[in-house]
Amino acid sequence: MHKTTKNLAILGSTGSIGTQTLEVLENLKNKDLFNIVSMSCGNNTELFTEQIKKFHPKKVCTGTPEGAKEIKSIFPEIEVFYGEEGLIELADDKNLDMMLTGTSGYVGLKPTLKAIENGVDIALANKETLVMAGDIVTAAAKANEVRILPVDSEHSAILQSSNGNYHLLNKIIITASGGPFLHKTSDEIRNCTAADALKHPRWHMGKKITIDSATLMNKGLEVIEAHHLFNLPYEKIEVVIHPESIVHSAVEFKDGSTVAQIGTPSMHIPIQYALTCPNREIGIKSNSFNFIGQKLTFEKPDFEKFPCLKLAYEAGKTGGTMPVVLNAANEVAVHKFLKGEIGLGDIFKAVEKEISKHTVIQNPALDEIFEVDREVRNRVFA
Ligand code: MN3
């Protein structure tokens, strides 16, 4: 017999995905469907305190030892951990049924793998997990019969459009809003400031991903993610610019029939679908989409103006440790850009330089992946 309550861990509960996940859970018609066993935060211990009071997890993890001390002093009865080791501690729990990985950056990888080894289904919102170690993660998921349910809106659209029948797909079409610089000139893009780049026209997200959307690196990372999630070669993954962000992505089946998932932009649907699929009647009902008067447009991505997208395709096709280099160099460069230390165009230059220098390791072990990641981070602006 199936038990009706699922034990859930939420990594990154105070972030953009984490807070929206808690909204989804609060609005489920059946409140007993999920029991939040554990949660983690980065630095926002104030919001985390509120969340702990409301959701009563038994184990929590903070980004720093100071944060852990603070939380422990407020909640002496719960187990409090910190850092990456702490996240692995939360993930290494045989009682879990599902873990939502909503942390940003490489710290999501080891805990996600740990949960997979324990047979825990993953609702995945952390791109780095598949970009850095897609082969290892998907092999582990297969061996442990674990489902990886995408939370990213494009990948969710592909899951929804295909009903998970990835083997029937001829190709997938990933849509991109094009970000705030879609119709700017190359010069204007190079000279923009962090404030310009943070004005995303359609989606409200964290800062790192908003910059990645402005350079289209985000779309490139999503292409690599899709390659692993749906087991498709890069030739069968197409990116289409769709500024209205109504078509969230589409699939073409082997018979040529195309199915798309559409709706007004909201992360509630992809989060809710990852948690509760294939059920569609127990959660938040998003605003209806009104077809009347809508004009949907689609265009080819400009690889010259947005060279990061091209670079990501190339790194993905090369495989091995190359996507690790792409991701690490990009992350460091984006943080430098956000601090105003480099221009937007320098992000591509930094990533390209690291990629051209790297001797790729095919089928890397996990420690080789982390070694390459560390090397690139230390070197990229040294
Ligand atoms: Mn996305």
Side-chain angles (χ1 to χ4, degrees):
M1 210 180 90
H2 275 284
K3 53 177 187 167
T4 46
T5 302
K6 283 186 174 180
N7 287 328
L8 179 68
I10 301 177
L11 304 192
S13 68
T14 56
S16 168
I17 295 294
T19 50
Q20 294 181 84
T21 299
L22 294 174
E23 282 164 28
V24 165
L25 292 171
E26 279 190 279
N27 284 286
L28 288 179
K29 291 185 183 117
N30 179 358
K31 298 279 181 287
D32 296 328
L33 210 55
F34 289 97
N35 169 35
I36 302 179
V37 175
S38 49
M39 303 198 315
S40 84
C41 76
N43 296 314
N44 193 347
T45 48
E46 206 181 313
L47 177 58
F48 199 45
T49 300
E50 296 305 310
Q51 292 179 340
I52 295 171
K53 280 184 188 152
K54 208 162 176 182
F55 295 97
H56 315 289
K58 289 176 190 67
K59 286 194 242 177
V60 301
C61 177
T62 61
T64 62
E66 296 75 37
K69 221 172 155 186
E70 188 190 332
I71 295 296
K72 187 72 189 172
S73 72
I74 308 171
F75 305 100
E77 71 285 5
I78 63 178
E79 284 188 86
V80 185
F81 305 92
Y82 64 86
E84 191 182 27
E85 291 302 311
L87 292 177
I88 296 168
E89 199 66 49
L90 300 194
D92 193 9
D93 181 345
K94 301 264 188 307
N95 293 316
L96 288 180
D97 298 295
M98 187 179 251
M99 185 169 90
L100 181 128
T101 312
T103 48
S104 73
Y106 62 91
V107 299
L109 175 52
K110 281 184 185 170
T112 303
L113 266 174
K114 181 53 82 182
I116 290 173
E117 284 164 16
N118 285 333
V120 176
D121 282 343
I122 305 293
L124 188 67
N126 173 274
K127 290 196 169 75
E128 286 80 358
T129 297
L130 289 176
V131 170
M132 290 175 69
D135 292 331
I136 293 176
V137 171
T138 50
K142 203 172 169 192
N144 292 286
E145 291 175 45
V146 157
R147 296 185 302 164
I148 300 180
L149 299 153
V151 170
D152 208 348
S153 63
E154 295 79 359
H155 305 78
S156 175
I158 291 161
L159 167 64
Q160 294 180 57
S161 300
S162 67
N163 267 320
N165 291 316
Y166 306 143
H167 61 288
L168 299 178
L169 301 180
N170 182 39
K171 68 170 181 175
I172 58 177
I173 299 94
I174 298 182
T175 54
S177 73
F181 305 134
L182 180 57
H183 295 123
K184 297 266 197 286
T185 67
S186 295
D187 275 344
E188 285 172 316
I189 296 172
R190 262 195 297 275
N191 296 323
C192 83
T193 65
D196 298 328
L198 287 173
K199 283 182 211 138
H200 194 277
R202 300 285 167 199
W203 298 92
H204 297 285
M205 308 170 287
K207 280 185 183 175
K208 157 77 169 50
I209 185 172
T210 303
I211 303 306
D212 285 342
S213 299
T215 61
L216 293 200
M217 182 62 96
N218 180 53
K219 215 43 62 177
L221 297 174
E222 289 182 353
V223 166
I224 298 174
E225 230 187 324
H227 161 78
H228 292 293
L229 270 174
F230 311 122
N231 195 23
L232 283 170
Y234 285 93
E235 297 72 38
K236 296 189 172 222
I237 305 172
E238 191 179 328
V239 170
V240 171
I241 304 290
H242 170 46
E244 296 83 7
S245 296
I246 295 296
V247 175
H248 297 143
S249 280
V251 303
E252 184 187 287
F253 287 99
K254 287 186 171 162
D255 63 359
S257 175
T258 297
V259 177
Q261 190 260 329
I262 69 177
T264 44
S266 156
M267 282 310 291
H268 284 143
I269 289 182
I271 292 169
Q272 184 165 280
Y273 196 72
L275 294 175
T276 63
C277 71
N279 198 313
R280 289 215 186 245
E281 52 186 359
I282 48 172
I284 295 174
K285 152 107 181 42
S286 288
N287 291 335
S288 297
F289 176 69
N290 181 6
F291 281 79
I292 308 302
Q294 295 280 350
K295 284 190 179 60
L296 304 184
T297 59
F298 302 92
E299 49 189 284
K300 228 177 133 159
D302 185 335
F303 287 104
E304 302 304 314
K305 230 156 72 173
F306 299 101
C308 286
L309 178 57
K310 196 173 163 193
L311 209 54
Y313 262 105
E314 286 165 4
K317 280 182 194 166
T318 305
T321 44
M322 203 55 105
V324 181
V325 176
L326 175 92
N327 176 64
N330 178 61
E331 197 173 312
V332 176
V334 168
H335 284 118
K336 263 193 138 29
F337 171 73
L338 282 169
K339 284 193 265 174
E341 294 170 12
I342 60 169
L344 194 74
D346 297 325
I347 296 175
F348 166 73
K349 281 188 213 152
V351 179
E352 191 192 34
K353 189 189 80 187
E354 288 304 318
I355 281 192
S356 66
K357 271 201 277 193
H358 182 62
T359 310
V360 67
I361 307 168
Q362 289 296 346
N363 304 310
L366 203 57
D367 46 0
E368 288 175 304
I369 288 172
F370 281 105
E371 180 59 33
V372 168
D373 179 80
R374 198 161 39 237
E375 267 173 32
V376 172
R377 281 169 201 273
N378 289 337
R379 188 177 59 197
V380 56
F381 286 102

